[in-house]
Amino acid sequence: MQELYDAPLAPLTTFRLGGPATRLVTADTDAEVIAAVREADDAGTPLLLIGGGSNLVIGDKGFAGTALRIATRGFDLDGTALELAAGEVWSDAVARTVEAGLAGVECLAGIPGSAGATPIQNVGAYGQEVSATVTEVVAYDRRSRETVTLTNADCAFSYRHSRFKAEPERFVVLRVRFALEDAGGLSAPLKYAETARALGVEAGGRVPLATARETVLRLRAGKGMVLDAEDHDTWSAGSFFTNPVLTDEEFAAFRARVDERLGADVEPPAFPAGEGPEGEGRIKTSAAWLIDKAGFTKGYGTGPARISTKHTLALTNRGGATTEDLLALAREVVAGVYEAFGVTLVNEPVTVGVEL
């Protein structure tokens, strides 16, 4: 294991923000990950897990404890069964499944971060979520101090949520197993209207896998959602806020605010929130729409932290920003959306040492 003290963490995050860690350990094997976690737990030392750093907002003061960077590698494909080590680069893994002619995660192309983070957040985009293909997650259970295997049902997946997110101090993901589909080189049925339109097919249709992946990458790049060191619109955590999920009563109150502010002829986005306790019988609306209609348009801001010039849902570091600059902008957006529509936005990235 590599070990550094007073180690900068900003370079390990896509925001490029945050102060140093007291100690930074880089683990290349599952055994090293487990040993580092046990050492921290035995000593009562605060522990921060870092994968690709694409979902982290670290405070300017840094992290007083051990930061564990999970750099394990492993891509094992057996027929349609895939096992990824937690440290595998997710976007690279997706590309390899497409090359292998297997469907199920092709619309998750270009999402930054590591494979181990995908079940924690139940990562999803363009009509796909990892919960649809994850079969098992191998994790170290800090409570029982043993390696455990959780089934898909054990993971309690819902919209951008899971058991791992509900119990953030308990599990350390080591490996993720997926069941993909051999559809003769074709994608899974396309569920997302924007993707289907871009590909010129009806929703539910299939297209060649490579075409689906390339189209998603193009759509993401147009929104600044594919990492590019030269493009400050990608110095972000992608979508900073989750799409609000509302009860019928909450949606009715929201709809009344839309009528009052924008006129009765304006229909806000509304989608079924999906299955599970977080979504069943509820309505999901668009955080990006709320932000825009509340007056926070693309490029909003005058300081070093601003809304992306390509997508209202991304908050960005234009260079030289601090975490406090970013949080000030996030708080302004949250307050403005609530004032306009009575809906409270919730941040998607994990905050370390700071709060909205």
Side-chain angles (χ1 to χ4, degrees), residues 50-81:
I50 300 178
S54 60
N55 201 44
L56 280 179
V57 178
I58 299 172
D60 293 317
K61 292 182 179 179
F63 182 70
T66 295
L68 171 58
R69 182 169 173 259
I70 299 175
T72 53
R73 291 291 181 266
F75 180 101
D76 299 307
L77 191 58
D78 182 7
T80 57

PDB file of all heavy atoms in Angstrom, residues 50-81:
ATOM      1  N   ILE A  50     -12.372   6.763  -1.184  1.00  0.00           N
ATOM      2  CA  ILE A  50     -12.309   7.501  -2.445  1.00  0.00           C
ATOM      3  C   ILE A  50     -12.136   6.517  -3.590  1.00  0.00           C
ATOM      4  O   ILE A  50     -11.242   5.670  -3.570  1.00  0.00           O
ATOM      5  CB  ILE A  50     -11.143   8.515  -2.457  1.00  0.00           C
ATOM      6  CG1 ILE A  50     -11.302   9.526  -1.324  1.00  0.00           C
ATOM      7  CG2 ILE A  50     -11.067   9.230  -3.800  1.00  0.00           C
ATOM      8  CD1 ILE A  50     -10.173  10.538  -1.234  1.00  0.00           C
ATOM      9  N   GLY A  51     -13.017   6.617  -4.583  1.00  0.00           N
ATOM     10  CA  GLY A  51     -12.880   5.832  -5.798  1.00  0.00           C
ATOM     11  C   GLY A  51     -12.404   6.754  -6.906  1.00  0.00           C
ATOM     12  O   GLY A  51     -11.265   7.191  -6.954  1.00  0.00           O
ATOM     13  N   GLY A  52     -13.350   7.104  -7.804  1.00  0.00           N
ATOM     14  CA  GLY A  52     -13.007   8.030  -8.882  1.00  0.00           C
ATOM     15  C   GLY A  52     -13.129   9.486  -8.484  1.00  0.00           C
ATOM     16  O   GLY A  52     -12.763  10.374  -9.265  1.00  0.00           O
ATOM     17  N   GLY A  53     -13.672   9.756  -7.300  1.00  0.00           N
ATOM     18  CA  GLY A  53     -13.777  11.136  -6.820  1.00  0.00           C
ATOM     19  C   GLY A  53     -14.787  11.985  -7.561  1.00  0.00           C
ATOM     20  O   GLY A  53     -14.764  13.218  -7.458  1.00  0.00           O
ATOM     21  N   SER A  54     -15.708  11.343  -8.285  1.00  0.00           N
ATOM     22  CA  SER A  54     -16.658  12.099  -9.105  1.00  0.00           C
ATOM     23  C   SER A  54     -17.931  12.447  -8.357  1.00  0.00           C
ATOM     24  O   SER A  54     -18.812  13.103  -8.910  1.00  0.00           O
ATOM     25  CB  SER A  54     -17.009  11.309 -10.368  1.00  0.00           C
ATOM     26  OG  SER A  54     -17.605  10.066 -10.024  1.00  0.00           O
ATOM     27  N   ASN A  55     -18.029  12.020  -7.100  1.00  0.00           N
ATOM     28  CA  ASN A  55     -19.251  12.275  -6.340  1.00  0.00           C
ATOM     29  C   ASN A  55     -18.917  12.815  -4.954  1.00  0.00           C
ATOM     30  O   ASN A  55     -19.648  12.594  -4.007  1.00  0.00           O
ATOM     31  CB  ASN A  55     -20.068  10.973  -6.220  1.00  0.00           C
ATOM     32  CG  ASN A  55     -21.527  11.232  -5.927  1.00  0.00           C
ATOM     33  OD1 ASN A  55     -22.150  12.106  -6.516  1.00  0.00           O
ATOM     34  ND2 ASN A  55     -22.095  10.479  -5.003  1.00  0.00           N
ATOM     35  N   LEU A  56     -17.804  13.552  -4.870  1.00  0.00           N
ATOM     36  CA  LEU A  56     -17.323  14.045  -3.578  1.00  0.00           C
ATOM     37  C   LEU A  56     -17.206  15.559  -3.559  1.00  0.00           C
ATOM     38  O   LEU A  56     -16.677  16.161  -4.493  1.00  0.00           O
ATOM     39  CB  LEU A  56     -15.943  13.463  -3.270  1.00  0.00           C
ATOM     40  CG  LEU A  56     -15.842  12.044  -2.713  1.00  0.00           C
ATOM     41  CD1 LEU A  56     -14.373  11.696  -2.511  1.00  0.00           C
ATOM     42  CD2 LEU A  56     -16.603  11.905  -1.410  1.00  0.00           C
ATOM     43  N   VAL A  57     -17.690  16.158  -2.475  1.00  0.00           N
ATOM     44  CA  VAL A  57     -17.447  17.572  -2.188  1.00  0.00           C
ATOM     45  C   VAL A  57     -16.725  17.620  -0.844  1.00  0.00           C
ATOM     46  O   VAL A  57     -17.324  17.391   0.206  1.00  0.00           O
ATOM     47  CB  VAL A  57     -18.759  18.379  -2.125  1.00  0.00           C
ATOM     48  CG1 VAL A  57     -18.460  19.829  -1.769  1.00  0.00           C
ATOM     49  CG2 VAL A  57     -19.508  18.297  -3.446  1.00  0.00           C
ATOM     50  N   ILE A  58     -15.424  17.874  -0.885  1.00  0.00           N
ATOM     51  CA  ILE A  58     -14.599  17.857   0.315  1.00  0.00           C
ATOM     52  C   ILE A  58     -14.352  19.285   0.783  1.00  0.00           C
ATOM     53  O   ILE A  58     -14.029  20.167  -0.015  1.00  0.00           O
ATOM     54  CB  ILE A  58     -13.251  17.155   0.031  1.00  0.00           C
ATOM     55  CG1 ILE A  58     -13.498  15.698  -0.389  1.00  0.00           C
ATOM     56  CG2 ILE A  58     -12.343  17.205   1.259  1.00  0.00           C
ATOM     57  CD1 ILE A  58     -12.251  14.978  -0.867  1.00  0.00           C
ATOM     58  N   GLY A  59     -14.525  19.502   2.067  1.00  0.00           N
ATOM     59  CA  GLY A  59     -14.370  20.835   2.627  1.00  0.00           C
ATOM     60  C   GLY A  59     -12.967  21.395   2.455  1.00  0.00           C
ATOM     61  O   GLY A  59     -11.989  20.653   2.301  1.00  0.00           O
ATOM     62  N   ASP A  60     -12.865  22.708   2.511  1.00  0.00           N
ATOM     63  CA  ASP A  60     -11.573  23.375   2.324  1.00  0.00           C
ATOM     64  C   ASP A  60     -10.554  23.008   3.401  1.00  0.00           C
ATOM     65  O   ASP A  60      -9.343  23.066   3.163  1.00  0.00           O
ATOM     66  CB  ASP A  60     -11.771  24.895   2.290  1.00  0.00           C
ATOM     67  CG  ASP A  60     -12.545  25.352   1.058  1.00  0.00           C
ATOM     68  OD1 ASP A  60     -12.250  24.846  -0.038  1.00  0.00           O
ATOM     69  OD2 ASP A  60     -13.448  26.198   1.197  1.00  0.00           O
ATOM     70  N   LYS A  61     -11.049  22.619   4.571  1.00  0.00           N
ATOM     71  CA  LYS A  61     -10.125  22.230   5.642  1.00  0.00           C
ATOM     72  C   LYS A  61      -9.608  20.807   5.462  1.00  0.00           C
ATOM     73  O   LYS A  61      -8.702  20.378   6.188  1.00  0.00           O
ATOM     74  CB  LYS A  61     -10.807  22.368   7.005  1.00  0.00           C
ATOM     75  CG  LYS A  61     -11.102  23.813   7.382  1.00  0.00           C
ATOM     76  CD  LYS A  61     -11.734  23.890   8.767  1.00  0.00           C
ATOM     77  CE  LYS A  61     -12.009  25.336   9.163  1.00  0.00           C
ATOM     78  NZ  LYS A  61     -12.644  25.435  10.501  1.00  0.00           N
ATOM     79  N   GLY A  62     -10.193  20.077   4.519  1.00  0.00           N
ATOM     80  CA  GLY A  62      -9.732  18.727   4.254  1.00  0.00           C
ATOM     81  C   GLY A  62     -10.375  17.707   5.164  1.00  0.00           C
ATOM     82  O   GLY A  62     -11.479  17.894   5.668  1.00  0.00           O
ATOM     83  N   PHE A  63      -9.668  16.597   5.374  1.00  0.00           N
ATOM     84  CA  PHE A  63     -10.224  15.470   6.133  1.00  0.00           C
ATOM     85  C   PHE A  63      -9.241  15.052   7.214  1.00  0.00           C
ATOM     86  O   PHE A  63      -8.110  14.636   6.920  1.00  0.00           O
ATOM     87  CB  PHE A  63     -10.508  14.295   5.196  1.00  0.00           C
ATOM     88  CG  PHE A  63     -11.121  13.103   5.873  1.00  0.00           C
ATOM     89  CD1 PHE A  63     -12.428  13.165   6.339  1.00  0.00           C
ATOM     90  CD2 PHE A  63     -10.386  11.949   6.070  1.00  0.00           C
ATOM     91  CE1 PHE A  63     -12.998  12.070   6.985  1.00  0.00           C
ATOM     92  CE2 PHE A  63     -10.945  10.854   6.707  1.00  0.00           C
ATOM     93  CZ  PHE A  63     -12.261  10.913   7.164  1.00  0.00           C
ATOM     94  N   ALA A  64      -9.669  15.157   8.459  1.00  0.00           N
ATOM     95  CA  ALA A  64      -8.828  14.790   9.598  1.00  0.00           C
ATOM     96  C   ALA A  64      -8.991  13.300   9.865  1.00  0.00           C
ATOM     97  O   ALA A  64      -9.811  12.876  10.684  1.00  0.00           O
ATOM     98  CB  ALA A  64      -9.207  15.606  10.826  1.00  0.00           C
ATOM     99  N   GLY A  65      -8.240  12.494   9.161  1.00  0.00           N
ATOM    100  CA  GLY A  65      -8.335  11.053   9.301  1.00  0.00           C
ATOM    101  C   GLY A  65      -7.613  10.373   8.152  1.00  0.00           C
ATOM    102  O   GLY A  65      -6.748  10.969   7.502  1.00  0.00           O
ATOM    103  N   THR A  66      -7.982   9.108   7.908  1.00  0.00           N
ATOM    104  CA  THR A  66      -7.384   8.334   6.824  1.00  0.00           C
ATOM    105  C   THR A  66      -8.296   8.341   5.611  1.00  0.00           C
ATOM    106  O   THR A  66      -9.459   7.933   5.697  1.00  0.00           O
ATOM    107  CB  THR A  66      -7.135   6.885   7.259  1.00  0.00           C
ATOM    108  OG1 THR A  66      -6.157   6.861   8.308  1.00  0.00           O
ATOM    109  CG2 THR A  66      -6.634   6.037   6.092  1.00  0.00           C
ATOM    110  N   ALA A  67      -7.786   8.806   4.495  1.00  0.00           N
ATOM    111  CA  ALA A  67      -8.491   8.701   3.220  1.00  0.00           C
ATOM    112  C   ALA A  67      -7.962   7.454   2.523  1.00  0.00           C
ATOM    113  O   ALA A  67      -6.745   7.299   2.354  1.00  0.00           O
ATOM    114  CB  ALA A  67      -8.255   9.936   2.362  1.00  0.00           C
ATOM    115  N   LEU A  68      -8.860   6.567   2.143  1.00  0.00           N
ATOM    116  CA  LEU A  68      -8.480   5.315   1.504  1.00  0.00           C
ATOM    117  C   LEU A  68      -8.890   5.355   0.040  1.00  0.00           C
ATOM    118  O   LEU A  68     -10.082   5.370  -0.279  1.00  0.00           O
ATOM    119  CB  LEU A  68      -9.146   4.137   2.214  1.00  0.00           C
ATOM    120  CG  LEU A  68      -9.020   2.761   1.549  1.00  0.00           C
ATOM    121  CD1 LEU A  68      -7.548   2.378   1.372  1.00  0.00           C
ATOM    122  CD2 LEU A  68      -9.767   1.712   2.371  1.00  0.00           C
ATOM    123  N   ARG A  69      -7.904   5.407  -0.830  1.00  0.00           N
ATOM    124  CA  ARG A  69      -8.167   5.396  -2.268  1.00  0.00           C
ATOM    125  C   ARG A  69      -8.178   3.957  -2.751  1.00  0.00           C
ATOM    126  O   ARG A  69      -7.180   3.247  -2.657  1.00  0.00           O
ATOM    127  CB  ARG A  69      -7.099   6.211  -3.007  1.00  0.00           C
ATOM    128  CG  ARG A  69      -7.327   6.278  -4.504  1.00  0.00           C
ATOM    129  CD  ARG A  69      -6.397   7.303  -5.140  1.00  0.00           C
ATOM    130  NE  ARG A  69      -6.508   7.242  -6.588  1.00  0.00           N
ATOM    131  CZ  ARG A  69      -5.634   6.627  -7.380  1.00  0.00           C
ATOM    132  NH1 ARG A  69      -4.577   6.021  -6.856  1.00  0.00           N
ATOM    133  NH2 ARG A  69      -5.788   6.604  -8.686  1.00  0.00           N
ATOM    134  N   ILE A  70      -9.344   3.537  -3.274  1.00  0.00           N
ATOM    135  CA  ILE A  70      -9.514   2.155  -3.731  1.00  0.00           C
ATOM    136  C   ILE A  70      -9.115   2.086  -5.201  1.00  0.00           C
ATOM    137  O   ILE A  70      -9.810   2.616  -6.069  1.00  0.00           O
ATOM    138  CB  ILE A  70     -10.954   1.684  -3.506  1.00  0.00           C
ATOM    139  CG1 ILE A  70     -11.278   1.730  -2.001  1.00  0.00           C
ATOM    140  CG2 ILE A  70     -11.156   0.276  -4.057  1.00  0.00           C
ATOM    141  CD1 ILE A  70     -12.711   1.406  -1.666  1.00  0.00           C
ATOM    142  N   ALA A  71      -7.970   1.435  -5.460  1.00  0.00           N
ATOM    143  CA  ALA A  71      -7.412   1.376  -6.810  1.00  0.00           C
ATOM    144  C   ALA A  71      -7.312  -0.065  -7.306  1.00  0.00           C
ATOM    145  O   ALA A  71      -6.426  -0.402  -8.096  1.00  0.00           O
ATOM    146  CB  ALA A  71      -6.045   2.051  -6.837  1.00  0.00           C
ATOM    147  N   THR A  72      -8.224  -0.917  -6.840  1.00  0.00           N
ATOM    148  CA  THR A  72      -8.217  -2.318  -7.264  1.00  0.00           C
ATOM    149  C   THR A  72      -8.615  -2.428  -8.727  1.00  0.00           C
ATOM    150  O   THR A  72      -9.341  -1.573  -9.251  1.00  0.00           O
ATOM    151  CB  THR A  72      -9.177  -3.142  -6.402  1.00  0.00           C
ATOM    152  OG1 THR A  72     -10.471  -2.514  -6.410  1.00  0.00           O
ATOM    153  CG2 THR A  72      -8.680  -3.217  -4.966  1.00  0.00           C
ATOM    154  N   ARG A  73      -8.156  -3.491  -9.383  1.00  0.00           N
ATOM    155  CA  ARG A  73      -8.470  -3.710 -10.785  1.00  0.00           C
ATOM    156  C   ARG A  73      -8.960  -5.137 -10.995  1.00  0.00           C
ATOM    157  O   ARG A  73      -8.504  -6.063 -10.327  1.00  0.00           O
ATOM    158  CB  ARG A  73      -7.235  -3.451 -11.671  1.00  0.00           C
ATOM    159  CG  ARG A  73      -6.822  -1.989 -11.744  1.00  0.00           C
ATOM    160  CD  ARG A  73      -7.857  -1.158 -12.506  1.00  0.00           C
ATOM    161  NE  ARG A  73      -7.466   0.245 -12.605  1.00  0.00           N
ATOM    162  CZ  ARG A  73      -7.859   1.183 -11.760  1.00  0.00           C
ATOM    163  NH1 ARG A  73      -8.641   0.864 -10.738  1.00  0.00           N
ATOM    164  NH2 ARG A  73      -7.474   2.435 -11.927  1.00  0.00           N
ATOM    165  N   GLY A  74      -9.854  -5.307 -11.943  1.00  0.00           N
ATOM    166  CA  GLY A  74     -10.362  -6.628 -12.277  1.00  0.00           C
ATOM    167  C   GLY A  74     -11.596  -6.524 -13.138  1.00  0.00           C
ATOM    168  O   GLY A  74     -12.587  -5.897 -12.728  1.00  0.00           O
ATOM    169  N   PHE A  75     -11.534  -7.094 -14.345  1.00  0.00           N
ATOM    170  CA  PHE A  75     -12.660  -7.152 -15.276  1.00  0.00           C
ATOM    171  C   PHE A  75     -12.767  -8.609 -15.708  1.00  0.00           C
ATOM    172  O   PHE A  75     -11.969  -9.084 -16.511  1.00  0.00           O
ATOM    173  CB  PHE A  75     -12.402  -6.237 -16.472  1.00  0.00           C
ATOM    174  CG  PHE A  75     -13.504  -6.226 -17.513  1.00  0.00           C
ATOM    175  CD1 PHE A  75     -14.426  -5.186 -17.557  1.00  0.00           C
ATOM    176  CD2 PHE A  75     -13.609  -7.248 -18.459  1.00  0.00           C
ATOM    177  CE1 PHE A  75     -15.435  -5.175 -18.518  1.00  0.00           C
ATOM    178  CE2 PHE A  75     -14.614  -7.243 -19.423  1.00  0.00           C
ATOM    179  CZ  PHE A  75     -15.519  -6.202 -19.454  1.00  0.00           C
ATOM    180  N   ASP A  76     -13.721  -9.330 -15.142  1.00  0.00           N
ATOM    181  CA  ASP A  76     -13.856 -10.761 -15.405  1.00  0.00           C
ATOM    182  C   ASP A  76     -15.208 -11.035 -16.050  1.00  0.00           C
ATOM    183  O   ASP A  76     -16.256 -10.847 -15.422  1.00  0.00           O
ATOM    184  CB  ASP A  76     -13.717 -11.556 -14.103  1.00  0.00           C
ATOM    185  CG  ASP A  76     -12.356 -11.352 -13.458  1.00  0.00           C
ATOM    186  OD1 ASP A  76     -11.354 -11.549 -14.164  1.00  0.00           O
ATOM    187  OD2 ASP A  76     -12.294 -10.984 -12.275  1.00  0.00           O
ATOM    188  N   LEU A  77     -15.168 -11.507 -17.294  1.00  0.00           N
ATOM    189  CA  LEU A  77     -16.375 -11.758 -18.067  1.00  0.00           C
ATOM    190  C   LEU A  77     -16.487 -13.250 -18.335  1.00  0.00           C
ATOM    191  O   LEU A  77     -15.575 -13.868 -18.888  1.00  0.00           O
ATOM    192  CB  LEU A  77     -16.320 -10.976 -19.378  1.00  0.00           C
ATOM    193  CG  LEU A  77     -17.585 -10.883 -20.224  1.00  0.00           C
ATOM    194  CD1 LEU A  77     -18.724 -10.250 -19.431  1.00  0.00           C
ATOM    195  CD2 LEU A  77     -17.312 -10.093 -21.488  1.00  0.00           C
ATOM    196  N   ASP A  78     -17.611 -13.840 -17.954  1.00  0.00           N
ATOM    197  CA  ASP A  78     -17.885 -15.257 -18.178  1.00  0.00           C
ATOM    198  C   ASP A  78     -19.257 -15.362 -18.817  1.00  0.00           C
ATOM    199  O   ASP A  78     -20.282 -15.289 -18.132  1.00  0.00           O
ATOM    200  CB  ASP A  78     -17.839 -16.014 -16.849  1.00  0.00           C
ATOM    201  CG  ASP A  78     -18.067 -17.514 -17.019  1.00  0.00           C
ATOM    202  OD1 ASP A  78     -18.137 -17.984 -18.184  1.00  0.00           O
ATOM    203  OD2 ASP A  78     -18.192 -18.217 -16.004  1.00  0.00           O
ATOM    204  N   GLY A  79     -19.278 -15.485 -20.145  1.00  0.00           N
ATOM    205  CA  GLY A  79     -20.553 -15.459 -20.851  1.00  0.00           C
ATOM    206  C   GLY A  79     -21.177 -14.083 -20.739  1.00  0.00           C
ATOM    207  O   GLY A  79     -20.596 -13.094 -21.185  1.00  0.00           O
ATOM    208  N   THR A  80     -22.338 -14.019 -20.105  1.00  0.00           N
ATOM    209  CA  THR A  80     -22.992 -12.723 -19.895  1.00  0.00           C
ATOM    210  C   THR A  80     -22.826 -12.228 -18.456  1.00  0.00           C
ATOM    211  O   THR A  80     -23.393 -11.203 -18.086  1.00  0.00           O
ATOM    212  CB  THR A  80     -24.494 -12.812 -20.228  1.00  0.00           C
ATOM    213  OG1 THR A  80     -25.086 -13.847 -19.426  1.00  0.00           O
ATOM    214  CG2 THR A  80     -24.712 -13.125 -21.704  1.00  0.00           C
ATOM    215  N   ALA A  81     -22.065 -12.971 -17.651  1.00  0.00           N
ATOM    216  CA  ALA A  81     -21.837 -12.586 -16.254  1.00  0.00           C
ATOM    217  C   ALA A  81     -20.545 -11.773 -16.152  1.00  0.00           C
ATOM    218  O   ALA A  81     -19.493 -12.206 -16.621  1.00  0.00           O
ATOM    219  CB  ALA A  81     -21.752 -13.816 -15.363  1.00  0.00           C
TER     220      ALA A  81
END
